[in-house]
Amino acid sequence: MEKKVLIVYAHQSAGSFSAAAKEAAVEVLKSKDCSVEVSDLYVMKFKATATAEDITGEVKNPEHFRYAEETKLAWDEGRLSADITEEQRKLQEADLVIFQFPMYWFTVPAVLKGWFDRVLTLGFAYTKEKRYSNGIFKKTKALLSFTTGSQETMFSPTGINGDMNVTLWPLQNGILHYCGFQVLAPQIFWAPEDAAPEGRSAMLAAWNTRLQGLLDEKPLFFAPMDCFDCEKSYQLKPESVEKCVKEFGLTAGTHCGKPLPPNNQMKAGV
Amino acid sequence: MEKKVLIVYAHQSAGSFSAAAKEAAVEVLKSKDCSVEVSDLYVMKFKATATAEDITGEVKNPEHFRYAEETKLAWDEGRLSADITEEQRKLQEADLVIFQFPMYWFTVPAVLKGWFDRVLTLGFAYTKEKRYSNGIFKKTKALLSFTTGSQETMFSPTGINGDMNVTLWPLQNGILHYCGFQVLAPQIFWAPEDAAPEGRSAMLAAWNTRLQGLLDEKPLFFAPMDCFDCEKSYQLKPESVEKCVKEFGLTAGTHCGKPLPPNNQMKAGV
C-alpha cells in the first residue's frame, strides 16, 4: 500500500543545504510511490507561540489559563485553530514524519519547537495512559534530519559540546518517543557549511542512499513501558534492572548510574 | 554596588505558579537592593521565529539567507530589529538572568526558544574564540527556574523520562554556558499542579529562602576550555582525561564513556 510521508521543514532559505536535503527526501520518497506532504514552516509563517488564540471561542479558565488543559478541551470539541487542526490531520495520516532543520542552540529552531508545542496537544498526541511505548503514534515512524554548525568531534563523549546522544535524548525521548513514535536513527549532516562542495554532495548522496530503504529501517531502542512501575513512580522495576542493566545503562536517559550505552540515540540495534 | 537582574518570563497566565515564582523573585531581589527588569514574553508578544525581518534594511545574501551570518553583520552595523536590540541591552546590563518558565516537551516553550535564537546572536553573544569558559557573558550569572508536569522520580536515572541532568545539558551547556554564563543550579518546581496548596506554598517558601542568597551562589561545574584541544578537534586533552576522569565522567555531556557525575547539572560543588 502507498505510504504517506510528512516532512516538517524549518529553514528560511530555498538555497540552503537543509532545502536540498528536504528536496532529496521528497524526490526519493515519491519515486518509491510514497505520497509526500511538506509543511514549510517559514513559508507558512507558522505561529510558534502557544497562546489562548489557538482556541476558537471561549477558553474555560481565562484567569488561570493552562495551555495543555485548554487545548485538550478545545480538541475534544473541535475548537482548535485551523492551522493546528491541519497539521494534526497531516500527522495522523502519515506513516513516516521527517523533521528537517538546522540545529539551533543544541535543539530545534523556535518555529519547529512551536510546531511541537502547538500540534502535539494533550488528547490528540498523548494522554497519561497513552505515552511512550503505549503512545498514540506507535505505528508511525519519525526521524530528525538536521545540520550542525559544529564538527562531529565536538559532539563526542570527550568533546566540548558533549555526547550527541545526550543532546538528542530530550528531543527523541521527550517529544517523539513520548508520543509513541518509532524513532529512526537521526540523519546528521555535520557542519555542511564548513565542507567543500564535494563534501556536501557526498553527504546528500549518502542521504539519498539511505532514503531508499528508510521505510524498512528498525527504530532506536527505548525501554518499554512494562519495564517501569507505571502505577506510581515510573521507576524501573527491580527485575528490569536486574535483567537489563549490566555493563551499561538501559538508555542515554535511564542510565541507572552506569555508562551510557554507546550510540543509544544514534543507531538502531545497539 | 547595586546589582542588576533580568527575569525572562514565559507563562501566559498571571494566575499561574510560574507567575508567583517570578513575583517572588522580583520582590526578594528588590528588597536586596537589586534593580530588576522583567521581559514578559507573552505580554510583549515577543516574536519567536528567526527571520530576515530581524534585520533592518537589506540582507547581504537573500538567495542564501543564513541567520547567524546575517545577524552578525546587522549587529556590527546596528541594524538588528528594535525588539532584539532592547533585549540585548537588558542582557548586557544584567549581573544575573533568571529564566522562569513551565517546561514544555523537556525544554523551554517556543517563545523562550525564540528569545534564545534571536537575542543570542553571533558577535553579540558568542564568537568562535569567545565561547564556554572564554565566553562573552562569563561575568554574568544565569539560572533556569521552571515547573515540570512530571514528578521528580520520573526524571531520575532510573525513571522513564530519564535523568534530569541529561535533559538539562543541552540548555545549560549548549546555550547558557556556551555564551559563557556562570550557570547557577536550576530551581525546579516539581509538578506544582499536582501538589496541594500547602505543597505549592512550601515550594514558593523554599524559593524565597534561596533567593536571599542567590547572588552569592557558586555556579555549576563545566570543564574549562583549557582542558580541550581548542586548535582543532575540541576534544579533551589526554592529560585532562588522565587528571580528571576517574570513576565518573567530567560532566553530563563530556562523560568519556564513564557514569555521569551525579547531579552535575543540578548542584554546584559536586
Side-chain angles (χ1 to χ4, degrees), chain A residues 12 15 50 63-64 66 104 108 110 113 117 132 153 156-161 163 193 233-236 254-256, chain B residues 12-13 15 50 64 66 104 108 110 113 117 132 153 156-161 163 193 233-236 254-256:
Chain A
Q12 302 92 344
E63 299 300 305
H64 293 269
R66 293 160 65 184
Y104 276 13
V108 297
K113 183 58 177 29
D117 288 353
Y132 288 121
T153 53
S156 80
T158 49
I160 195 165
N161 291 350
D163 188 353
E193 296 199 348
S233 65
Y234 290 88
Q235 292 268 312
L236 269 183
T254 305
H255 57 70
C256 308
Chain B
Q12 301 94 342
S13 172
H64 293 270
R66 292 159 66 184
Y104 276 14
V108 298
K113 181 59 178 28
D117 287 353
Y132 289 122
T153 53
S156 80
T158 48
I160 195 165
N161 292 349
D163 188 354
E193 295 199 351
S233 66
Y234 290 88
Q235 291 269 310
L236 269 183
T254 305
H255 57 71
C256 307

Side-chain angles (χ1 to χ4, degrees), chain A residues 160-178:
Chain A
I160 195 165
N161 291 350
D163 188 353
M164 182 54 93
N165 290 285
V166 170
T167 284
L168 289 174
W169 175 261
L171 284 166
Q172 296 192 151
N173 180 73
I175 304 179
L176 302 181
H177 184 55
Y178 191 94

Side-chain angles (χ1 to χ4, degrees), chain B residues 131-161:
Chain B
R131 298 191 277 189
Y132 289 122
S133 60
N134 300 333
I136 288 172
F137 289 98
K138 65 185 174 188
K139 292 193 175 156
T140 312
K141 291 177 176 175
L143 162 75
L144 301 181
S145 176
F146 60 95
T147 59
T148 66
S150 298
Q151 299 296 333
E152 185 169 6
T153 53
M154 296 175 73
F155 270 114
S156 80
T158 48
I160 195 165
N161 292 349

